[in-house]
Amino acid sequence: LAAGGGGGGLVETPTALLTLHGGEAVEIQAAPAGTICAARGLKGVATGDTLLLRPKEGLGALRLPGVAVPPPVFFCAVEAEAASQQPALDAALAALRLEDPSVAVKNDASTGQLMVGGMGELHLEVLLQRLASEWQLRVHAGEMRVAYRESICSAVRRTSTHASQLKEGGEVRIEIEVRPLDLADGAGAASQEGPQEAAAVQHAASEAVRSALTRRELGHLLDGMRGAAAYGDLLGFPLHAARAEVSSVTAPRGTSPEAIGGAAAEALSQAVAAASPVLLEPVMRVEVQTAEQHLGAVLSELTGARRGSVEKLLTPSDALRQTVLARAPLAAMVGYASALRSLTAGEASLSMEFSHYARVEPAVQQQLLLQMRGYV
């Protein structure tokens, strides 16, 4: 089998094909069109990949639409109970990510902690339980927090200078411009140098810079920018809905590509700090179904304490239940399922999914900054 997508053209040889009937797996010799089956022994295939059996000429690049993976909206720090279990924890998280692309794992450069992100509190709780039950790992998990983003409000062009790290001295001089993107554009903008997929930040270099730098130097320049964009100026959340372009690079002869990359990272961080940074919060699409007698209480709670906005009310023909469609900030929806049960005597149903990022209200942002910096 040839795997396309995340598999990157990998060739795999499954050890068996299986059909699943409840908890029973039955081995089969072939899977004709329309068959739903499982393949055992695939090591580099992830959710969303396209598998081809001996692809013919011209079909090797065939890719079926993958799974749309929304960004994680909750995260927490995890660490193994013992240092000797860390490699096993890393392997377990890698296996979970192959199975569930909505799980995000990264190391926080500022704290050194291993951060795990997911689509909700329950999602992360189940993931931690699976680490214990399936991998026999005991891990300590930090407080679950909302995965905010950061953006900028104004366009800034500035020139930054950085030590070249050469014995002879000298400076790397970088001119960079950052500007905000429309939040809708930032959700799906593709990086100039990366694959054509959703990216929160556009990174670019002018034609003059591309002509002046070697391919390796250009790669380090863009990598430095991407690294800096992963940590915003306010609270260290990733940058979102912004474009950064380097228009000029001047460096002494002999400057290493790594030094150019480091200078680009510093230049981007300084430009973002000067561009009026703001916090963004995930906004959820909310659907509540409730009996008509509870509708007033549900609407009052959504538009009041939950900071939501109601978009539509749907009334079925029998008029026994009302459907409320709304959008609300995720931070305000923590604990809403329990509150809804109390408001409706357990007669309502709730579903939520990620919608978009929106700017945090100034008063709420100020409170978050004080809270997360440890002042309150």
Side-chain angles (χ1 to χ4, degrees):
L1 292 175
L10 182 70
V11 176
E12 294 266 15
T13 304
T15 56
L17 294 177
L18 310 167
T19 55
L20 304 176
H21 304 280
E24 183 182 1
V26 179
E27 187 168 339
I28 57 177
Q29 298 302 313
T35 303
I36 297 175
C37 67
R40 178 186 292 157
L42 303 180
K43 298 179 180 178
V45 175
T47 301
D49 283 351
T50 300
L51 300 179
L52 300 173
L53 178 62
R54 293 190 296 273
K56 298 179 181 179
E57 186 176 351
L59 294 179
L62 178 64
R63 301 287 187 274
L64 296 177
V67 179
V69 181
V73 293
F74 273 97
F75 71 93
C76 68
V78 298
E79 62 178 20
E81 189 176 61
S84 59
Q85 289 188 317
Q86 189 61 46
L89 175 59
D90 293 338
L93 289 173
L96 285 170
R97 288 199 65 200
L98 277 177
E99 176 185 320
D100 182 358
S102 65
V103 175
V105 181
K106 73 169 187 176
N107 283 294
D108 190 319
S110 59
T111 64
Q113 291 178 302
L114 182 63
M115 311 300 296
V116 177
M119 296 311 302
E121 293 174 287
L122 181 60
H123 187 196
L124 289 178
E125 287 171 4
V126 170
L127 185 146
L128 294 172
Q129 290 170 3
R130 291 187 62 189
L131 290 175
S133 61
E134 297 178 23
W135 279 273
Q136 288 74 52
L137 289 170
R138 300 185 65 178
V139 299
H140 299 296
E143 178 186 355
M144 292 192 189
R145 295 190 174 187
V146 173
Y148 292 95
R149 294 291 187 268
E150 298 185 22
S151 192
I152 54 178
C153 293
S154 58
V156 168
R157 178 185 290 271
R158 65 178 295 147
T159 301
S160 301
T161 56
H162 314 272
S164 67
Q165 301 177 8
L166 294 173
K167 292 181 180 179
E168 299 81 5
E171 294 177 328
V172 180
R173 188 180 184 87
I174 291 183
E175 185 176 345
I176 190 170
E177 180 184 15
V178 295
R179 61 179 176 85
L181 296 175
D182 194 68
L183 285 176
D185 294 339
S191 173
Q192 181 173 335
E193 292 300 314
Q196 298 301 307
E197 58 187 14
V201 183
Q202 294 179 3
H203 308 91
S206 68
E207 287 301 322
V209 171
R210 292 173 174 277
S211 301
L213 298 182
T214 66
R215 184 174 180 178
R216 185 160 174 255
E217 289 170 339
L218 180 62
H220 278 275
L221 176 89
L222 293 167
D223 285 345
M225 294 168 67
R226 292 189 190 98
Y231 300 94
D233 180 68
L234 294 174
L235 293 172
F237 289 106
L239 196 62
H240 184 82
R243 177 179 174 82
E245 180 172 355
V246 173
S247 55
S248 173
V249 176
T250 306
R253 184 183 296 275
T255 301
S256 69
E258 290 78 10
I260 292 175
E266 289 184 40
L268 178 56
S269 296
Q270 292 173 8
V272 167
S276 305
V278 292
L279 276 181
L280 304 177
E281 61 183 349
V283 175
M284 309 301 285
R285 188 177 294 110
V286 181
E287 180 177 323
V288 178
Q289 291 186 348
T290 184
E292 188 171 6
Q293 65 264 33
H294 301 303
L295 183 61
V298 169
L299 293 176
S300 177
E301 174 82 3
L302 269 176
T303 58
R306 306 298 172 174
R307 298 191 283 131
S309 60
V310 176
E311 297 186 327
K312 192 178 291 186
L313 288 175
L314 302 177
T315 305
S317 57
D318 57 18
L320 295 178
R321 292 177 70 81
Q322 303 276 342
T323 299
V324 180
L325 302 180
R327 295 180 196 266
L330 176 63
M333 296 299 287
V334 175
Y336 180 65
S338 298
L340 184 64
R341 281 194 295 270
S342 300
L343 285 172
T344 63
E347 296 181 358
S349 63
L350 167 69
S351 66
M352 289 195 301
E353 64 178 350
F354 175 79
S355 173
H356 63 282
Y357 282 101
R359 288 186 185 178
V360 175
E361 297 171 5
V364 177
Q365 174 171 312
Q366 188 61 30
Q367 184 64 24
L368 282 170
L369 292 177
L370 292 173
Q371 198 173 40
M372 292 191 177
R373 289 170 177 171
Y375 295 117
V376 294

